[in-house]
Amino acid sequence: MAESPFKAEIERVQKEYSEKMTPGAIAVIPGSSVVNKTGSWRVFMPEFNRDKCVRCYLCYIYCPEPAIYLDEENYPVFDYDYCKGCGICANECPVDAITMVREVK
Amino acid sequence: MPIRKVMKANEAAAWAAKLAKPKVIAAFPITPSTLVPEKISEFVADGELDAEFIKVESEHSAISACVGASAAGVRTFTATASQGLALMHEILFIAAGMRLPIVIAVGNRALSAPINIWNDWQDTISERDTGWLQFYAENNQEALDLILIAFKVAEDERVLLPAMVGFDAFILTHTVEPVEIPDQELVDEFLGEYVPKHAYLDPSKPITQGTLAFPAHYMEARYTVWEANENAKKVIDEVFAEFEKRFGRKYQKIEEYRTDDAEIIFVTMGSLAGTVKEYVDMLREKGVKVGVAKITVYRPFPTEEVRELAKKAKVLALLEKNVTFSIGGALFQDFSRALINEKEKPVIVDFILGLGGRDVTFKDLDEALGIAQKALAGEEFDEVNWIGLRKEIL
Ligand code: SF4
Ligand code: SF4
């Protein structure tokens, strides 16, 4: 899985923000919404079958998060920190390369 | 020199706001507090108060505008009552959670249905869990003073919580009394300018306010509101002391009157305290050992002071203009909680009276006293008593 391009920023903000509660729960670092890992709400997760994929990028376009990146060979990569498991990618994929599976933590 | 003017509590509240120099006042008219924003709009129109007066279309908008203004970093004020305060309910939580030191003047009025514009305390009492500080005025002078005090406490860095100051509908809001208006310079020295440290609008230093908090942070955020309420207890004492030093009028969270050798202490709030003091004077002449404790600060609840008070009496008779269903009055719950683990504690008898503007007469107080005396004598008594109820029409 490719790394999120925000990784360094996320880690910096997480560290600073997790240490102290500001009065009124004010987010003092602009862009700290990046650390809200909406992926934690997920019940189902997309499971990707690279062999079936035809690289049409419908999943990439339709993902509302957007939690799909492309790797060096232009195959989709899923960022599970932000993928909320809506299943739209699986629904849009014309060759059923994505299936939604129940996620067990 | 301070000037003395004869005025209604509504005007006193408007004067307090003028003296505090808020930058934004947003308000919607509602009986009995309409005169507060009316008077303020005059001050603004006459150039006596340099502030933005926002006319809004509801109380929900009024307090929302106040939240926006306060979050932008200025001193903010509004006034309301009853249904208006109830309509603000949702935003009251937001103001407290965002730790915005807004001050509201509330003309304490009953809630519908049936529609009733007269006095009881149900409106502010119903908001006791929002995180707001609550002060109750006995007379028009206190309405003015407590608003100034409320700003000072609310804006203290250890507190940063919004505050409401209640004064009884019509009994105070529409009744004229002499009120001393303190000198502007003295108020300026007392309050200082509001310099926000946490909530402000500065494009060069962007922050996000009113954020989403995941389960990992929400509980801590709520705890800080709890902690700020606890901190407010000490800050209020300090501010009361400073106020007395500067303006010569003494305030206490619980003001005691002739309690020293009292067997029965009436506990009450707002303008009713004045009535009960008079009644107690009358009883003292007949040798009845009674006293009065007036709750000036209801939130944060003065638990320690209640425990001290409880040591002085055999019976605490709570006189309340509000109803908490299944309990009695809200004070009954608060007092029970404060005393539940004390080894020695007085008997507490609760009285609900004066709802919706019903007069509280000496005859009513006689009835309450009778029940309190039964409790004192160890006879059976009802814990909760509705006084002055017209049973014949039920
Ligand atoms: S499940 Fe939804 S959120 Fe997750 S990758 Fe697919 S489209 Fe995006
Ligand atoms: S929609 Fe399906 S085929 Fe198209 S890129 Fe995504 S996974 Fe591959």
Side-chain angles (χ1 to χ4, degrees):
Chain A
M1 190 172 112
E3 264 184 6
S4 157
F6 303 114
K7 190 166 181 287
E9 174 66 3
I10 290 168
E11 278 171 4
R12 186 183 70 80
V13 172
Q14 267 179 333
K15 187 167 173 291
E16 210 162 328
Y17 198 59
S18 64
E19 273 165 16
K20 203 147 172 57
M21 184 59 111
T22 50
I26 285 169
V28 287
I29 302 158
S32 58
S33 59
V34 172
V35 304
N36 287 335
K37 293 193 172 172
T38 46
S40 64
W41 304 346
R42 191 173 54 234
V43 178
F44 289 95
M45 63 186 283
E47 204 173 63
F48 176 55
N49 184 339
R50 195 180 166 103
D51 295 340
K52 282 192 183 173
C53 178
V54 295
R55 289 183 277 189
C56 69
Y57 310 134
L58 279 178
C59 59
Y60 176 84
I61 292 163
Y62 275 98
C63 174
E65 273 305 284
I68 301 175
Y69 308 111
L70 300 179
D71 67 10
E72 306 76 49
E73 292 169 67
N74 289 332
Y75 278 103
V77 177
F78 298 81
D79 185 342
Y80 291 110
D81 278 348
Y82 299 100
C83 163
K84 64 176 186 249
C86 67
I88 289 173
C89 53
N91 201 51
E92 294 299 335
C93 177
V95 294
D96 289 337
I98 305 167
T99 38
M100 299 304 289
V101 297
R102 183 175 281 278
E103 187 174 2
V104 184
K105 279 182 192 137
Chain B
M1 278 293 285
I3 47 166
R4 266 166 93 78
K5 267 175 86 117
V6 169
M7 62 171 80
K8 301 165 184 173
N10 275 339
E11 289 175 89
W15 269 96
K18 178 176 181 284
L19 290 165
K21 297 181 178 169
K23 281 280 168 275
V24 172
I25 299 105
F28 187 81
I30 183 168
T31 304
S33 59
T34 305
L35 190 67
V36 182
E38 261 178 25
K39 187 78 193 158
I40 291 173
S41 72
E42 280 175 30
F43 287 141
V44 174
D46 293 347
E48 291 179 46
L49 174 62
D50 178 21
E52 201 69 46
F53 184 84
I54 311 178
K55 286 168 276 182
V56 286
E57 82 289 0
S58 78
E59 287 85 354
H60 189 278
S61 304
I63 187 67
S64 298
C66 287
V67 164
S70 188
V74 295
R75 188 172 284 159
T76 310
F77 180 80
T78 185
T80 193
S82 184
Q83 309 298 128
L85 188 65
L87 186 53
M88 290 180 176
H89 176 73
E90 178 197 1
I91 311 298
L92 296 181
F93 273 93
I94 293 173
M98 286 174 69
R99 310 284 300 279
L100 302 173
I102 302 162
V103 173
I104 303 186
V106 183
N108 281 118
R109 169 189 146 184
L111 278 156
S112 309
I115 299 171
N116 178 295
I117 58 168
W118 293 274
N119 166 241
D120 65 36
W121 309 320
Q122 195 67 54
D123 50 4
T124 44
I125 287 289
S126 300
E127 305 300 346
R128 67 188 186 274
D129 295 335
T130 52
W132 283 58
L133 311 173
Q134 290 198 356
F135 299 85
Y136 289 83
E138 180 183 330
N139 53 44
N140 297 358
Q141 183 71 57
E142 291 196 6
L144 187 147
D145 292 351
L146 287 173
I147 288 171
L148 297 178
I149 287 166
F151 272 117
K152 177 98 173 160
V153 176
E155 290 169 5
D156 190 288
E157 263 185 80
R158 295 162 288 176
V159 180
L160 289 175
L161 284 176
M164 52 182 80
V165 177
F167 40 88
D168 291 342
F170 298 101
I171 302 170
L172 299 181
T173 58
H174 286 63
T175 304
V176 293
E177 285 177 347
V179 173
E180 187 177 304
I181 303 167
D183 284 342
Q184 183 67 61
E185 302 84 72
L186 279 184
V187 175
D188 289 347
E189 276 171 34
F190 173 67
L191 276 186
E193 210 181 313
Y194 172 49
V195 185
K197 295 247 163 44
H198 73 305
Y200 51 78
L201 193 63
D202 178 357
S204 68
K205 213 174 149 197
I207 55 171
T208 309
Q209 302 185 49
T211 55
L212 168 83
F214 281 71
H217 286 97
Y218 180 78
M219 199 159 154
E220 284 70 20
R222 293 295 284 167
Y223 180 77
T224 62
V225 178
W226 167 281
E227 205 178 30
N229 259 276
E230 291 302 307
N231 292 347
K233 292 178 181 175
K234 185 165 167 280
V235 175
I236 288 169
D237 284 338
E238 289 172 18
V239 173
F240 278 168
E242 194 186 331
F243 189 89
E244 188 186 355
K245 216 170 72 200
R246 286 181 189 273
F247 302 101
R249 286 184 291 278
K250 185 181 168 79
Y251 287 94
Q252 286 169 296
K253 289 179 198 140
I254 299 184
E255 181 196 299
E256 295 183 25
Y257 183 74
R258 306 191 83 162
T259 53
D260 276 350
D261 60 339
E263 290 177 320
I264 297 169
I265 297 179
F266 289 109
V267 180
T268 192
M269 314 198 297
S271 67
L272 187 53
T275 312
V276 183
K277 282 176 190 168
E278 194 110 331
Y279 177 68
V280 159
D281 282 344
M282 195 187 81
L283 289 180
R284 282 283 182 177
E285 271 170 34
K286 293 183 195 155
V288 189
K289 289 182 172 175
V290 283
V292 188
K294 177 180 80 177
I295 310 279
T296 303
V297 181
Y298 177 62
R299 283 291 181 272
F301 189 70
T303 307
E304 295 310 315
E305 286 81 354
V306 165
R307 286 180 186 153
E308 286 308 307
L309 180 76
K311 288 180 188 151
K312 295 189 175 169
K314 298 198 178 73
V315 175
L316 292 179
L318 314 181
L319 305 172
E320 309 204 52
K321 292 188 186 180
N322 71 88
V323 183
T324 295
F325 295 101
S326 310
I327 302 287
L331 284 179
F332 194 25
Q333 195 170 22
D334 293 304
F335 271 67
S336 304
R337 180 264 157 185
L339 301 177
I340 190 163
N341 289 326
E342 298 295 284
K343 281 201 188 70
E344 302 262 317
K345 50 182 166 249
V347 173
I348 308 177
V349 201
D350 197 30
F351 299 98
I352 294 170
L353 74 186
L355 299 186
R358 174 75 50 91
D359 269 347
V360 179
T361 64
F362 280 7
K363 201 169 135 269
D364 295 326
L365 296 176
D366 278 342
E367 196 182 332
L369 178 72
I371 297 166
Q373 281 172 331
K374 263 197 194 173
L376 182 67
E379 290 169 38
E380 263 188 42
F381 66 95
D382 288 333
E383 277 183 337
V384 180
N385 306 274
W386 288 63
I387 298 293
L389 201 62
R390 296 176 56 206
K391 293 210 177 80
E392 67 278 11
I393 62 168
L394 290 173

